[in-house]
Amino acid sequence: MTPSDCRDTLRGISAEAGWRILHGLANACAAVQGQGGSWADAASDYAAAADGLRTCKDRAAYAVLGGILQFHRQHPSATVPLTSSPPGRNACDFEIAAVNVVDRTEARPGDAVTIEVHDTYFDHGELRTNATVLIDGEPLGTGPQLVSGSGDRAVICVAAPSLATEQYPKSVSVTVRYGASATKENAFTVVAPDPAQSPGAPASVCPQATTGNGSASPSP
């Protein structure tokens, strides 16, 4: 929702649970710019949404709405134009909460590695199609698989890369890049491949993907 779209956005948002904060923000955004909206509804939605802030995006919207309501209390007759955030500035700064090697404590080349990302502000499916994962600063040749996503938390899966023979074992960093970047240093250790393993054959497989409600869906 951009400031110029608040009035149109308000027409398409209900005040139902889960949408209260956006409904209130659209009302305040339109009202403070003299474009309609309801200050009473904005204040009511702000109060009702306080206990239902499940994601970083909800919390960011709540903070903006609180600021607009405070401005209105201080300047009840004033209207002001609002502007969008500068390009590249996001509502949330996502972070890597955990990195785990599937089925092992250390990763051999081809092993599945899961990366848990918190405070996402985007559709989790976009991680699969638009995110880049770097291991020790080197981008992987394929995109990550989405394992699960709920609220503002997602788990993606990649295969551990091969290293030069003299580098094993090596503790490596993991970076997820999607517009902004998040990095976890010393995320896991890559060890030499099993001599009995066929070249290029994965040693373990990414977990089956699940939807936000826990039901299984096919892996991409």
Side-chain angles (χ1 to χ4, degrees):
M1 180 172 62
T2 60
S4 60
D5 296 333
C6 290
R7 184 165 50 185
D8 291 337
T9 301
L10 181 58
R11 297 191 185 103
I13 297 180
S14 71
E16 297 175 359
W19 291 95
R20 291 297 295 268
I21 189 63
L22 292 181
H23 185 262
L25 184 57
N27 264 299
C29 175
V32 79
Q33 296 184 101
Q35 299 173 358
S38 166
W39 285 115
D41 286 350
S44 175
D45 289 338
Y46 180 77
D51 295 327
L53 304 175
R54 296 183 299 275
T55 69
C56 66
K57 205 169 185 178
D58 288 341
R59 294 188 291 272
Y62 186 77
V64 173
L65 176 54
I68 297 175
L69 288 171
Q70 182 178 9
F71 173 84
H72 176 62
R73 287 192 296 269
Q74 295 171 344
H75 311 279
S77 300
T79 58
V80 294
L82 300 179
T83 59
S84 299
S85 299
R89 183 175 179 180
N90 301 310
C92 307
D93 293 321
F94 69 89
E95 62 179 4
I96 298 175
V99 177
N100 295 292
V101 180
V102 177
D103 299 330
R104 309 181 197 276
T105 56
E106 298 176 321
R108 297 171 182 166
D111 274 349
V113 177
T114 59
I115 306 166
E116 185 175 347
V117 184
H118 287 190
D119 291 342
T120 57
Y121 56 87
F122 41 77
D123 183 277
H124 294 143
E126 297 174 16
L127 284 168
R128 184 181 64 244
T129 55
N130 298 323
T132 300
V133 176
L134 300 87
I135 305 296
D136 242 22
E138 294 295 326
L140 298 179
T142 58
Q145 294 187 30
L146 179 63
V147 176
S148 64
S150 179
D152 59 1
R153 300 185 178 191
V155 177
I156 56 178
C157 182
V158 299
S162 297
L163 305 176
T165 302
E166 67 274 9
Q167 291 183 310
Y168 298 114
K170 185 179 184 183
S171 179
V172 296
S173 64
V174 171
T175 298
V176 177
R177 182 179 295 163
Y178 181 85
S181 294
T183 299
K184 190 172 184 66
E185 301 291 347
N186 301 312
F188 67 96
T189 299
V190 184
V191 297
D194 185 342
Q197 180 183 330
S198 301
S204 57
V205 180
C206 287
Q208 185 180 27
T210 61
T211 61
N213 60 11
S215 59
S217 61
S219 297

